Amino acid sequence: MYKRLFLFFSLILFLSPLASAQNPEKEIHIKKAKTPINLDGKLDEEAWQLADVSGDFFLNTPFDTAFAKEQTEVRLTFDDKFLYVAMKAYQPKSSYTVSSYKRDFASGSSDVFSVYIDTFKDKLNGMQFSISPLNVQREGLISLGATADFSWDNKWYSQVKNYDEYWTVEYAIPFTTLRYKVSADQNSWRINFGRFCMKTNESATWSPVPRNFKPSNLAFTGVLIWDDAPPKPGANISLIPYLSTNYTKDFLRNENLEALKPDANTKLGAGMDAKIAITPSLNLDLTINPDFSQVEVDAQQTNLSRFELFFPEKRQFFIENSDLFGTFGFPGSRPFFSRRIGLTKNNFTGLVEQVPILGGARLSGKLNENWRIGLMNLQTGKVNHADNQFLPATNFSVGVVQRKVFERSYIGAIFVNKENSFKNLPEASTAGIDKYNRMAGLEFNYYSPDNRLETETYYHQSFSPGAGKDASCVNQYIGYHHPHIDVNLGVARIGKDYNTEVGYTPRTGIYTVYRPINLIFNPKNEKIAKKINRYGIGMDGSDVFDLQGKRLDTESPVFFFINTPADGEFSTGYYMAYTRLQYPFDITNASVNPNPDFYKDVVELPVDIYKTRNFFVNVKTTRRKSFYGEMLVYGGNNFRSKTIDQGKTLGIESSFTYRIQPIGTVAVDVYYTDIRMQKPYNSVKYWLIGPKAELSFSKSVYLSTYFQYNTQSNNTNINSRLQWRFKPVSDLFLVYTDNYFAQQIPRFGINPWAPKNRALVLKMTYWLNV
């Protein structure tokens, strides 16, 4: 089987370059400015009159067969310190759509102009700088050819000028913010420009990008030719110290939920991050006593799974070049997951706890056009618990190297090491904890020049004391992305002894087959095309087998979808699932609730084969309106077997948003789950309700408040964050967090809104260029 798959994949890999045909590349020249640029958005300097003008933006969506109606003109120049971008966007002032004044606004929420820069011309890694008509900035790092991460934060400057029929902007991007090398034979970069106008739902780019790909896709960038060489960047060292004060109060309870004396603490904190440019494209990041108290709280999820849920990384230190470390593997098995650092499961309480990070270092970036490296090391401290119990201090190390091959593909290697320190720890504190856990792996990722074909092949091996021999993970994936067909096929084998304590692998001892496929059609009739942009049928699916080939799980949703030119969507389908329970399990996960009365009489489903069959309907409205939303409704038979024939489920997953332009948005997420099983098995009704407000009082003061009511975990969470950006990349944060019981627990005298814990944090960060 594997030989046939290998031959099949190899044949496609060999033939794909022959089928890749792209239009001639667009070019733009850049000359050094002879007179100063006054950053005011007016575009009246001599340098702009002498610069090349790039226009004729071509549509990306809703169609990719015509030039954009709302056209754009772009010019470039530079001096010894800055790369300058000038843009003129034809768009009436009355048609602006802007979500708020807050930086790093969500994709698809505002009119925007973007610059995509690939300094090393690998068509895989780059930077994005975006601006709204109200001069609200957003910057991000692009990895894997098109994926933009807007958690990256760096210095650049802009000014916008608004006119009745168009708006203009001037960028000044410091060369110290960009990552590049200067050499005699390197006189070009890759670049693209993009516009998105919400009123017309037009997305357009200077160098055309097919509509089945994002405008940020670096495979379709044009060429930026330096008529005068860019300057050699000088020393670039930034220090980012912080000061904080933190008040916490825990309303303690014993194992019988009886109230104890509250524990209140006030703590002062200080630390520092440093960014040092070893070369213009290779950065050293240092952190001492990092503090992540200002990071946005996670959105809670209703967990009906037998396995661990995945939550994204939001901490700033782990963001830049995170694709180097975090994209090895496949979504079902990542060898490195940065949220394992600074968070750990307490073996004594079973709860996930924060662990202090004492310090760390990360060296990451490009050595040259072909080589990219990443090295990271962090040290966490020992955590003391009551009754002479401890969590050990731990050192985490990760090393990564990537070598570019072909036009835009790479071979990569990764090594991960977790080392626990048992020094001066009692034997009871080290029971069940390995001295070390390690992982080494090799990967090959292929992307065709036209981005239609991608493949991923990898082999990973873990190492732990006393581990068995079956400790490897092997994967082969192939994806084909055509405007009318999108196919993704993957096969993975995860050994029963495979163990990645610093990774995310919720399930071992399995084969997994991934098989999503979509057929996409575009109406040719003009009248229909004005209402329907595209439609099609598809199937998302996966199968899980044990290592002997016995089927354990199958998911096969089949669906029909319609998209409108205004970006609305309607889909409906039929969901089929097969589950072979290998151990008794409560499908309602009632034990997540801290109330023992909630789950004390729960009878788990026995080991058996179960089938689930649901119909579903999903509706998404256009963001062009001030009020928009999305709702999924599903229902049908749930976990039925030969002996259990009355299982039913009904679910609603919805999100609604109202835009108060340009102040911000108010939104609410509503999730409802109704599971009805025949006696004696558990039936529940879960609510997860999450109102959220994101308001901007100016371009430097923002307020975000998130309320989450979760009946499954019996928790109500309030997280409110006030941010004042008093200087570029320098902030003052005031963060308030509170957790309460969501529901009454009569036997223990606990009422709704009984407090669990609360915290108030004041933190200041300051970016200092040395």
Side-chain angles (χ1 to χ4, degrees), residues 476-609:
Q476 176 62 64
Y477 161 78
I478 183 168
Y480 181 71
H481 314 297
H482 184 274
H484 300 301
I485 183 170
D486 194 89
V487 181
N488 298 273
L489 300 172
V491 179
R493 184 192 185 279
I494 305 176
K496 62 182 178 63
D497 303 312
Y498 184 67
N499 178 23
T500 54
E501 293 183 13
V502 195
Y504 176 80
T505 306
R507 201 169 182 180
T508 59
I510 57 171
Y511 286 100
T512 302
V513 178
Y514 306 94
R515 45 179 173 75
I517 180 171
N518 290 311
L519 299 177
I520 305 157
F521 306 96
N522 305 113
K524 296 183 179 180
N525 183 287
E526 288 188 14
K527 290 184 178 180
I528 297 177
K530 289 180 179 179
K531 297 182 179 180
I532 298 176
N533 181 33
R534 64 176 190 164
Y535 63 95
I537 58 174
M539 177 180 68
D540 287 334
S542 65
D543 306 281
V544 180
F545 304 86
D546 67 16
L547 297 181
Q548 287 70 47
K550 183 188 297 183
R551 183 164 63 143
L552 303 179
D553 292 278
T554 291
E555 289 186 290
S556 297
V558 180
F559 54 88
F560 168 78
F561 66 90
I562 296 175
N563 291 101
T564 70
D567 200 33
E569 182 176 323
F570 169 84
S571 63
T572 184
Y574 188 61
Y575 172 85
M576 299 168 284
Y578 169 102
T579 304
R580 183 192 296 269
L581 283 184
Q582 297 175 287
Y583 52 86
F585 178 68
D586 168 29
I587 62 169
T588 67
N589 261 344
S591 59
V592 173
N593 196 304
N595 178 9
D597 292 342
F598 189 73
Y599 57 83
K600 70 176 182 178
D601 297 324
V602 167
V603 177
E604 297 178 325
L605 294 183
V607 173
D608 205 342
I609 295 174

